[in-house]
């Protein structure tokens, strides 16, 4: 197949200018492409593509090097009067260049230079491209982290001079006007020394086997399935999931004793089965995960909310072993009740692990990760819960350590700067939601009993878990501000209108004792005379209650074995 390829060279300011390259055009990230995945590394071990990009730019700037800074491959599509350039290769570098350009002061106005396939990412890019503040959730994304990294690092350089240098860097732009051919060329780029992952090689290989001899339009089928997989992963399940990682997970589940590689893929699947036995099967698994995550059947499967929390814990970034185990469980033929028990225990275990990480506690989770990464793939599905219980019972029942660190969680106000601030707030909310038996409802918010505005520094009890409670948002907006660290009858009257279990427990000691247990004297606070000392006691009360949820899995399991 002959490929019609046009290559031109552009300076960055020309590439992103509405008077030049983007006069009647825009860059578009197609759905089958991965989401923005370049990361900021905190140490030498972590992936740190953003750090390397910055160091490369600064090094070139200091030496005033003017040679080419890489290239991008575009698929040209005409839609009305607008030319859309789908970025087939080089999207990570292109987006990173936009983020640095914006950090250096470039603004684009209403017309963005690029359109991403994920709505949330587009909103973040829109803010960044117009020098607007991004929120805490956006700051946790790869795009937000990269932009914040650049904003912090440009403080040490002459911004105007660096911007002038950066916008004159040259890129090679390869343009092709056939989507199928563009994917073939994407694969051939590997012969030029640009590293491609095993998944990218598999993608190219599949596409290359469906040429025009297969019948009219047939060569589009692999691309359509590929796009559908990527769309479901990033839109319906979680933005952190990309097709590369999911294909790896699928392979591990289906071929637990065969190493994942391009060569093994070719050995394992014949060409006539690329669709029926590979891509279609991956799509089936994606749809199965989506069914549990979205849970729009009208009845609570008890799994979807746990999955939402697990992705909030960033298992797609922090620990891919956990992600593998979760998807393995969902892929089995176990009934929903058994799946719910396993996913619930994994969620509680991962919450504890995340809290210990946030608090800087070094804890060995190697045995748990070995179970996630190997044992779970080798044992029968009916033994998964039994073996998980055994691993946890034998290695991870340090109640004192868990309770101590949960009780120290904080939900600080925006003006207070602490390490892992957003993560501590997230886990404080998770503890409260789980103890209340609630899903993560947008109409319910975390309320500080003694006003957070009265907290003076990061050690103030006002921010501690023991000073937090859930409250319906409609009541939260009408709460009066406290002038001192003492509850008023006016605020308590509003609290008494709440129908939430956690609020009833805070207000009424008898509600705390309906569980058939109590924490020594830790539940004996009087709401009207609620003090800093009571905050400390209540934090322990909540932490022990949360540990009880975790421990109950083992207790109930042992009862069933008797």
């Amino acid at each position: 197949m002959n490929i019609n390829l046009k290559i031109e060279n552009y300076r960055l300011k020309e590439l992103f200018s509405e008077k030049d390259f983007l006069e009647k055009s825009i860059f578009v990230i197609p759905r089958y492409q991965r989401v923005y995945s370049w990361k900021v590394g905190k140490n030498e071990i972590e992936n740190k593509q953003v750090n390397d990009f910055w160091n490369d730019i600064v090094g070139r700037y200091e030496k005033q090097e003017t040679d080419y800074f890489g290239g991008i491959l575009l698929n040209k599509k005409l839609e009305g009067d607008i030319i859309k350039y789908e970025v087939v290769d080089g999207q990570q570098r292109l987006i990173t260049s936009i983020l640095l350009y914006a950090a250096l002061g470039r603004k684009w106005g209403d017309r963005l230079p690029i359109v991403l396939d994920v709505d949330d990412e587009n909103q973040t890019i829109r803010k960044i491209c117009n020098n607007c503040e991004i929120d805490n959730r956006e700051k946790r994304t790869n795009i937000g982290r990269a932009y914040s990294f650049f904003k912090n690092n440009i403080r040490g350089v002459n911004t105007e001079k660096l911007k002038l240098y950066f916008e004159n860097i040259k890129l090679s732009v390869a343009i092709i006007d056939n989507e199928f051919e563009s994917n073939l060329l994407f694969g051939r780029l590997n012969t030029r020394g640009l590293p491609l992952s095993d998944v990218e090689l598999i993608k190219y290989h599949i596409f290359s086997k469906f040429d025009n001899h297969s019948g009219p339009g047939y060569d589009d089928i692999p691309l359509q399935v590929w796009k559908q997989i990527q769309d479901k992963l990033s839109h319906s399940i979680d933005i952190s999931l990309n097709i590369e990682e999911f294909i790896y997970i699928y392979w591990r589940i289906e071929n637990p004793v065969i190493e994942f590689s391009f060569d093994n893929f070719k050995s394992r699947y014949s060409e006539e089965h690329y669709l029926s036995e590979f891509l279609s099967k991956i799509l089936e698994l994606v749809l199965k995960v989506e069914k549990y995550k979205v849970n729009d059947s009208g009845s609570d499967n008890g799994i979807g909310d746990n999955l939402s929390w697990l992705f909030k814990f960033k298992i797609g970034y922090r620990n891919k072993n956990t992600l593998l185990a979760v998807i393995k469980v969902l892929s089995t033929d176990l009934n929903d009740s058994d799946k719910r028990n396993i996913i619930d225990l994994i969620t509680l275990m991962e919450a504890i692990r995340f809290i210990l990480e946030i608090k800087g506690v070094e804890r060995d989770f190697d045995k748990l990760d070995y179970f996630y990464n190997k044992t779970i793939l080798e044992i029968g599905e009916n033994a998964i819960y039994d073996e998980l219980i055994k691993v946890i019972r034998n290695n991870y029942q340090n109640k004192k350590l868990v309770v101590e660190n949960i009780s120290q969680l904080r939900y600080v106000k925006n003006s207070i700067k602490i390490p892992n601030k957003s993560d501590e707030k997230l886990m404080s909310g998770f503890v409260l939601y789980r103890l209340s038996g609630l899903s993560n409802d947008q109409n319910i918010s975390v309320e500080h009993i003694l006003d957070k505005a009265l907290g003076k520094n990061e050690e103030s009890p006002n921010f501690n878990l023991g000073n937090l409670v859930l409250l319906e948002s409609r009541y939260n907006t009408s709460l009066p501000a406290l002038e001192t660290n003492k509850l008023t009858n006016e605020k308590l009257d509003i609290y008494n209108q709440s129908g939430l279990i956690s609020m009833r427990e805070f207000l009424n000691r008898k509600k705390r004792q309906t569980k058939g247990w109590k924490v020594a004297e830790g539940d004996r606070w009087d709401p009207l005379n609620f003090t800093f000392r009571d905050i400390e006691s209540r934090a322990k009360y909540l932490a022990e209650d949360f540990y009880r949820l975790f421990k109950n899995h083992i207790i109930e399991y042992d009862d069933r074995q008797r």
Side-chain angles (χ1 to χ4, degrees):
M1 181 185 292
N2 294 322
I3 293 179
N4 183 23
L5 181 66
K6 176 183 177 183
I7 300 178
E8 294 186 12
N9 301 318
Y10 290 90
R11 289 181 171 85
L12 273 176
K13 65 179 179 182
E14 296 169 340
L15 196 62
F16 294 127
S17 173
E18 294 178 9
K19 296 180 181 179
D20 289 296
F21 193 84
L22 293 183
E23 181 179 2
K24 291 184 178 180
S25 60
I26 192 169
F27 294 116
V28 176
I29 304 299
R31 290 186 174 185
Y32 59 84
Q33 288 282 26
R34 72 183 79 172
V35 295
Y36 183 70
S37 58
W38 276 16
K39 296 179 181 179
V40 176
K42 297 179 181 178
N43 53 56
E44 292 300 317
I45 299 176
E46 295 180 346
N47 291 329
K48 51 184 179 65
Q49 298 95 334
V50 176
N51 309 57
D52 292 341
F53 179 92
W54 168 255
N55 292 333
D56 194 6
I57 291 293
V58 171
R60 288 167 175 265
Y61 165 66
E62 291 173 347
K63 297 175 183 177
Q64 288 299 298
E65 293 180 352
T66 57
D67 57 346
Y68 290 95
F69 190 59
I72 56 175
L73 172 63
L74 306 176
N75 175 38
K76 182 179 179 180
K77 287 186 173 182
L78 182 63
E79 296 188 9
D81 295 332
I82 299 295
I83 299 172
K84 289 187 175 181
Y85 289 106
E86 288 192 344
V87 184
V88 180
D89 185 49
Q91 66 141 322
Q92 306 292 326
R93 179 174 294 270
L94 186 66
I95 295 174
T96 307
S97 297
I98 291 173
L99 297 177
L100 177 54
Y101 209 175
L104 289 169
R106 174 72 155 88
K107 294 182 181 179
W108 277 270
D110 292 334
R111 185 176 172 186
L112 297 181
I114 194 167
V115 175
L116 310 182
D117 185 51
V118 181
D119 290 339
D120 288 346
E121 286 192 341
N122 268 324
Q123 182 66 24
T124 305
I125 284 285
R126 180 174 296 280
K127 290 181 181 179
I128 288 172
C129 286
N130 288 284
N131 201 23
C132 298
E133 183 70 19
I134 58 176
D135 61 33
N136 290 333
R137 181 193 60 79
E138 293 167 325
K139 289 177 181 177
R140 293 197 299 267
T141 65
N142 285 338
I143 286 177
R145 292 181 192 276
Y147 179 65
S148 298
F149 174 85
F150 290 140
K151 290 288 284 185
N152 290 332
N153 279 274
I154 62 174
R155 295 171 184 167
V157 299
N158 186 315
T159 304
E160 288 303 317
K161 288 185 177 181
L162 179 59
K163 180 183 177 184
L164 181 63
Y165 170 79
F166 182 66
E167 62 188 9
N168 281 287
I169 285 177
K170 297 176 184 177
L171 271 79
S172 294
V173 181
I175 302 173
I176 197 167
D177 58 5
N178 182 288
E179 183 172 21
F180 188 71
E181 290 180 357
S182 71
N183 282 287
L184 296 183
L185 182 59
F186 175 66
R188 294 178 190 177
L189 287 173
N190 192 46
T191 63
R192 302 183 185 179
L194 299 178
L196 297 180
S197 69
D198 285 302
V199 172
E200 289 165 337
L201 290 170
I202 289 170
K203 173 187 173 184
Y204 157 66
H205 184 69
I206 291 175
F207 286 179
S208 68
K209 298 304 177 183
F210 290 84
D211 57 24
N212 294 329
H213 297 292
S214 300
Y218 190 65
D219 56 355
D220 289 335
I221 295 177
L223 184 61
Q224 291 169 8
V225 176
W226 193 279
K227 287 180 176 180
Q228 189 177 3
I229 293 170
Q230 184 63 74
D231 182 64
K232 292 294 183 182
L233 288 174
S234 60
H235 284 72
S236 301
I237 301 177
D238 190 76
I239 192 174
S240 68
L241 271 180
N242 61 57
I243 196 167
E244 287 86 356
E245 292 174 350
F246 199 88
I247 287 178
Y248 171 76
I249 289 171
Y250 171 81
W251 179 278
R252 291 290 314 283
I253 292 172
E254 293 296 317
N255 309 284
V257 298
I258 304 175
E259 182 183 1
F260 176 65
S261 71
F262 175 53
D263 289 337
N264 285 338
F265 164 79
K266 290 189 295 183
S267 299
R268 171 70 174 78
Y269 297 98
S270 58
E271 291 180 12
E272 62 268 23
H273 293 145
Y274 284 170
L275 272 176
S276 61
E277 295 298 325
F278 188 68
L279 284 181
S280 295
K281 294 292 184 182
I282 292 171
L283 180 58
E284 286 179 16
L285 180 56
V286 168
L287 293 174
K288 196 170 188 178
V289 176
E290 180 194 35
K291 181 193 75 171
Y292 285 110
K293 172 68 161 51
V294 176
N295 189 30
D296 56 2
S297 63
S299 60
D300 182 16
N301 60 29
I303 297 173
D305 197 55
N306 275 329
L307 292 179
S308 294
W309 280 114
L310 282 168
F311 285 116
K312 287 178 186 293
F313 300 166
K314 299 179 286 192
I315 60 170
Y317 300 118
R318 289 177 45 251
N319 194 327
K320 300 188 188 305
N321 293 325
T322 310
L323 183 60
L324 170 62
V326 167
I327 295 177
K328 165 63 180 178
V329 171
L330 298 180
S331 73
T332 66
D333 293 326
L334 293 169
N335 61 49
D336 283 357
S337 177
D338 290 338
K339 289 180 181 178
R340 181 173 59 247
N341 280 338
I342 299 170
I343 298 297
D344 188 67
L345 181 53
I346 290 176
T347 303
L348 294 172
M349 184 72 251
E350 290 306 308
I352 291 171
R353 189 205 304 228
F354 195 19
I355 290 170
L356 295 180
E357 287 180 11
I358 291 168
K359 289 299 185 180
V361 177
E362 294 187 4
R363 183 73 169 87
D364 182 0
F365 286 97
D366 288 351
K367 290 183 174 60
L368 182 65
D369 285 331
Y370 185 86
F371 174 82
Y372 287 161
N373 188 47
K374 193 165 180 65
T375 305
I376 198 172
L377 302 176
E378 297 174 348
I379 58 177
E381 58 188 36
N382 290 319
I384 292 176
Y385 190 61
D386 297 2
E387 294 302 315
L388 179 58
I389 287 284
K390 291 177 183 177
V391 171
I392 292 174
R393 177 196 282 118
N394 295 335
N395 302 281
Y396 304 108
Q397 288 196 90
N398 191 332
K399 177 180 178 180
K400 181 180 178 181
L401 178 69
V402 173
V403 170
E404 177 183 354
N405 283 277
I406 291 178
S407 65
Q408 293 175 7
L409 285 172
R410 295 166 293 180
Y411 202 102
V412 302
K413 59 186 179 182
N414 292 336
S415 60
I416 300 291
K417 306 297 182 184
I418 62 171
N420 305 310
K421 176 179 174 179
S422 59
D423 292 335
E424 278 211 51
K425 293 171 73 172
L426 171 71
M427 298 315 295
S428 297
F430 173 72
V431 169
L432 295 175
Y433 275 104
R434 282 307 306 261
L435 291 179
S436 301
L438 296 170
S439 61
N440 193 2
D441 195 326
Q442 293 182 346
N443 294 316
I444 298 173
S445 56
V446 175
E447 152 70 0
H448 291 74
I449 299 166
L450 302 183
D451 278 12
K452 64 181 179 183
L454 299 174
K456 297 179 180 179
N457 55 56
E458 62 184 70
E459 301 300 330
S460 294
N462 301 67
F463 306 130
N464 182 264
L465 177 69
N467 191 47
L468 305 177
V469 71
L470 296 181
L471 182 65
E472 296 91 337
S473 299
R474 66 180 183 275
Y475 297 134
N476 209 329
T477 56
S478 60
L479 288 171
L482 297 180
E483 296 182 2
T484 64
N485 282 308
K486 180 175 173 57
L487 276 176
T488 62
N489 285 315
E490 183 182 5
K491 191 169 185 177
L492 283 172
D493 286 343
I494 296 176
Y495 279 2
N496 275 296
Q497 297 177 48
S498 172
L500 299 181
I501 293 174
S502 60
M503 183 61 80
R504 310 315 303 170
E505 266 194 309
F506 169 70
L507 295 172
N508 189 336
R509 185 165 183 249
K510 289 183 179 179
K511 297 290 184 182
R512 296 167 222 154
Q513 297 184 349
T514 57
K515 298 169 182 175
W517 72 285
K518 66 176 183 176
V519 186
E521 304 300 316
D523 66 347
R524 294 190 176 184
W525 62 81
D526 174 13
L528 190 57
N529 297 300
F530 194 64
T531 65
F532 286 170
R533 184 175 180 180
D534 292 324
I535 289 175
E536 183 180 353
S537 298
R538 184 168 179 266
K540 183 181 178 184
Y541 166 82
L542 295 174
E544 295 227 16
D545 201 2
F546 182 85
Y547 186 82
R548 180 182 59 85
L549 291 177
F550 171 67
K551 181 71 173 179
N552 274 353
H553 271 276
I554 297 175
I555 294 174
E556 292 172 4
Y557 173 83
D558 289 341
D559 287 343
R560 289 194 297 270
Q561 300 307 306
R562 294 191 180 99

